[in-house]
Amino acid sequence: PASAQYRMTTWTTADGLPQSSVVEIAQTPDGFLWMTTLGGLARFDGRSFRAFDTTTNPELPHSRFAGMVVDDAGRLFVALQTGE
């Protein structure tokens, strides 16, 4: 059956996501998947996550990411949530 062609995997904070509720997902030309959460930004290489939050990047004012966009040149722009 067609469903046998697909596999579903669920990732959580135990796998390296800063928070399990993902706000937005984007892919950059180098193949990385980027996920914004209200607990940080995550980069996924297909095997593992690298988190960007106030723990890993203390220069950030907070870890609540609201969204992102990849422009035509392949650059990733992320937005922090405002109003805090």
Side-chain angles (χ1 to χ4, degrees):
S3 63
Q5 298 175 18
Y6 300 99
R7 184 179 80 162
M8 187 172 95
T9 304
T10 302
W11 291 289
T12 67
T13 54
D15 301 298
L17 271 173
Q19 184 191 43
S20 292
S21 298
V22 173
V23 176
E24 195 167 345
I25 300 172
Q27 185 171 20
T28 49
D30 55 8
F32 288 114
L33 288 177
W34 294 83
M35 294 153 216
T36 56
T37 75
L38 297 179
L41 176 70
R43 184 184 73 189
F44 185 62
D45 63 9
R47 303 184 111 202
S48 61
F49 290 94
R50 178 172 177 203
F52 301 87
D53 56 24
T54 55
T55 303
T56 60
N57 298 82
E59 66 275 7
L60 290 170
H62 57 80
S63 296
R64 297 177 66 88
F65 287 83
M68 67 188 145
V69 65
V70 178
D71 71 5
D72 292 338
R75 296 175 296 192
L76 179 70
F77 292 87
V78 295
L80 289 168
Q81 188 177 52
T82 60
E84 293 190 28

